[in-house]
Amino acid sequence: MIALGIETSCDDTAASIIEENGKILSNVLSSQEVFHKDFGGIVPEIASRKHSELIGYTIVEALKLSGKTMSSVDLISVTKGPGLVGSLLIGIEAAKALSFALHKPLIGVNHLEGHIYSLFLDCSPLSRVSDPFPLLVLIVSGGHTELVLMRSHLTYQVIGETRDDAAGEAVDKFARFLGFGYPGGPIVEKLGSNGNSNAYKFPGLSFKDSSPYEFSFSGLKTAGVYFIEKNPDAVRENIQDVTASFENALINILVERTLKAAHDFNVRGVGVVGGVSANERLRKTLNAKSDLPVYFPAKILSTDNASMIAFAGLMHFKRGEKDDLMLDAHSRLGL
Ligand code: AMP
Ligand code: MG
């Protein structure tokens, strides 16, 4: 089987062609970063307009690079939520049009489930583990920070999430207050890569025992903004140490909670997905502190992409599920 994946939940217009075993034949991403970065975040109206301009080219390019034609595609998978409704609708309508015109089955995919399935694509080490379950997955992105327990394929138990901001949101705000553009994570990572991560102290979590699998990042975010306001000299002269220290505090929260849950639920391994999982300090710290195997997607598959959507759709389709032309966008959608 050959699947086409379409992803337009946020600011990236993406299309991909994969084979049934998760082998990626093409993975095309038309980034809208330049259109949003001066605003310090994503402007929904701009995002949907750019999606509608780019979606056709992106799908055609994905087909071209894969060497396949639309007639050889057996399934169309598209992100149905969560995300920006105006953005989701562009991908969904494109997918429906192709499905209707070419009589191809259609399936709507939960974006978070897509991120999880980035771990199972053919290029990921986890795809070669014969029985990875129970598996703990940390989803850590611009809008989500949650711990998910998987006892088998396509089953999810959310055991903890953030009470307030997502980890990505906190680092994006910190970067914005430093005067850098969006997205903040890669900028902070680059600035802090040679900095001393213990130079400045940023707060961890205060509710250690009451909710051991929950996260909170609003305290850290506020502390970061406060630090920038109160310490202009440090920001000017020591930006490497400031960014390294902030990033280190954020990562310590993620790592401590994840390893506690992994231990308590007696899992076989830990997976980390979503935009923040591209972070090298997070990868190194978790690998160093975990006595269980830790799995990350290839960095290019950590951030939003359509290969993961194509694969999650295939998993559902092989179980006999599919959608019809009533498929709709859902801005809020849990696992
Ligand atoms: P997503 O919502 O999955 O597309 O992820 C986007 C989020 O990931 C944004 O908050 C980014 O700042 C963050 N992000 C992307 N790359 C990195 C990185 N290398 N380090 C930390 N955060 C990152
Ligand atoms: Mg995402």
Side-chain angles (χ1 to χ4, degrees):
M1 280 189 74
I2 297 288
L4 162 66
I6 298 175
E7 151 67 37
T8 62
S9 66
C10 195
D11 63 328
D12 289 315
T13 317
S16 166
I17 303 287
I18 67 161
E19 286 177 353
E20 187 168 346
N21 62 358
K23 182 173 179 213
I24 299 174
L25 301 183
S26 66
N27 179 41
V28 178
L29 194 127
S30 308
S31 172
Q32 300 183 7
E33 213 172 286
V34 291
F35 303 111
H36 299 278
K37 74 175 185 356
D38 290 345
F39 298 95
I42 292 156
V43 186
E45 170 69 18
I46 295 177
S48 31
R49 279 172 187 272
K50 290 293 163 194
H51 281 309
S52 69
E53 284 170 23
L54 294 167
I55 188 77
Y57 297 103
T58 308
I59 293 171
V60 168
E61 188 65 13
L63 284 167
K64 232 192 252 172
L65 290 176
S66 71
K68 302 287 175 191
T69 58
M70 198 57 217
S71 61
S72 57
V73 168
D74 303 297
L75 174 70
I76 301 168
S77 303
V78 62
T79 308
K80 64 180 175 183
L84 300 167
V85 165
S87 289
L88 290 163
L89 281 172
I90 307 294
I92 290 175
E93 293 311 313
K96 282 189 201 171
L98 288 170
S99 164
F100 179 73
L102 301 165
H103 309 286
K104 305 285 183 186
L106 170 73
I107 192 145
V109 172
N110 182 314
H111 180 83
L112 300 176
E113 193 172 25
H115 272 301
I116 289 175
Y117 273 84
S118 67
L119 285 174
F120 293 97
L121 282 158
D122 167 71
C123 56
S124 161
L126 189 58
S127 70
R128 282 176 284 286
V129 177
S130 60
D131 187 8
F133 304 112
L135 177 75
L136 181 73
V137 183
L138 169 67
I139 303 178
V140 66
S141 69
H144 296 267
T145 304
E146 55 190 73
L147 284 168
V148 180
L149 183 64
M150 287 179 82
R151 295 192 190 278
S152 62
H153 273 298
L154 304 179
T155 65
Y156 313 101
Q157 183 189 348
V158 178
I159 59 170
E161 45 197 331
T162 180
R163 293 178 169 187
D164 39 59
D165 299 313
E169 228 169 316
V171 70
D172 288 340
K173 176 105 179 229
F174 184 67
R176 193 159 78 220
F177 264 76
L178 284 171
F180 302 120
Y182 176 88
I187 299 167
V188 168
E189 170 164 41
K190 199 163 168 211
L191 283 168
S193 60
N194 294 317
N196 173 5
S197 61
N198 295 311
Y200 301 99
K201 181 129 187 65
F202 289 96
L205 291 182
S206 54
F207 52 91
K208 277 214 152 67
D209 300 322
S210 55
S211 315
Y213 317 123
E214 277 195 328
F215 299 93
S216 166
F217 291 99
S218 73
L220 175 63
K221 183 180 82 177
T222 309
V225 169
Y226 237 77
F227 183 92
I228 295 164
E229 280 173 3
K230 301 271 180 237
N231 300 280
D233 293 348
V235 169
R236 200 173 41 248
E237 287 151 26
N238 241 341
I239 189 68
Q240 291 193 344
D241 293 350
V242 171
T243 45
S245 300
F246 182 85
E247 189 182 78
N248 190 44
L250 182 128
I251 284 164
N252 282 340
I253 295 173
L254 292 171
V255 169
E256 183 253 313
R257 295 271 134 153
T258 304
L259 293 182
K260 163 108 181 96
H263 176 264
D264 290 356
F265 286 86
N266 208 7
V267 295
R268 288 202 171 154
V270 176
V272 189
V273 300
V276 182
S277 75
N279 186 276
E280 197 52 41
R281 195 187 301 272
L282 172 60
R283 289 176 177 231
K284 281 202 183 121
T285 310
L286 196 54
N287 271 313
K289 292 199 172 166
S290 174
D291 42 22
L292 290 166
V294 180
Y295 305 99
F296 289 90
K299 282 194 184 178
I300 191 175
L301 301 170
S302 279
T303 44
D304 291 346
N305 66 86
S307 300
M308 67 185 196
I309 301 300
F311 198 45
L314 256 172
M315 293 293 292
H316 280 286
F317 185 70
K318 285 200 282 184
R319 294 206 168 180
E321 300 165 37
K322 62 177 179 165
D323 284 298
D324 57 26
L325 297 180
M326 300 301 284
L327 179 66
D328 206 356
H330 301 274
S331 60
R332 290 171 173 277
L333 192 65
L335 271 170

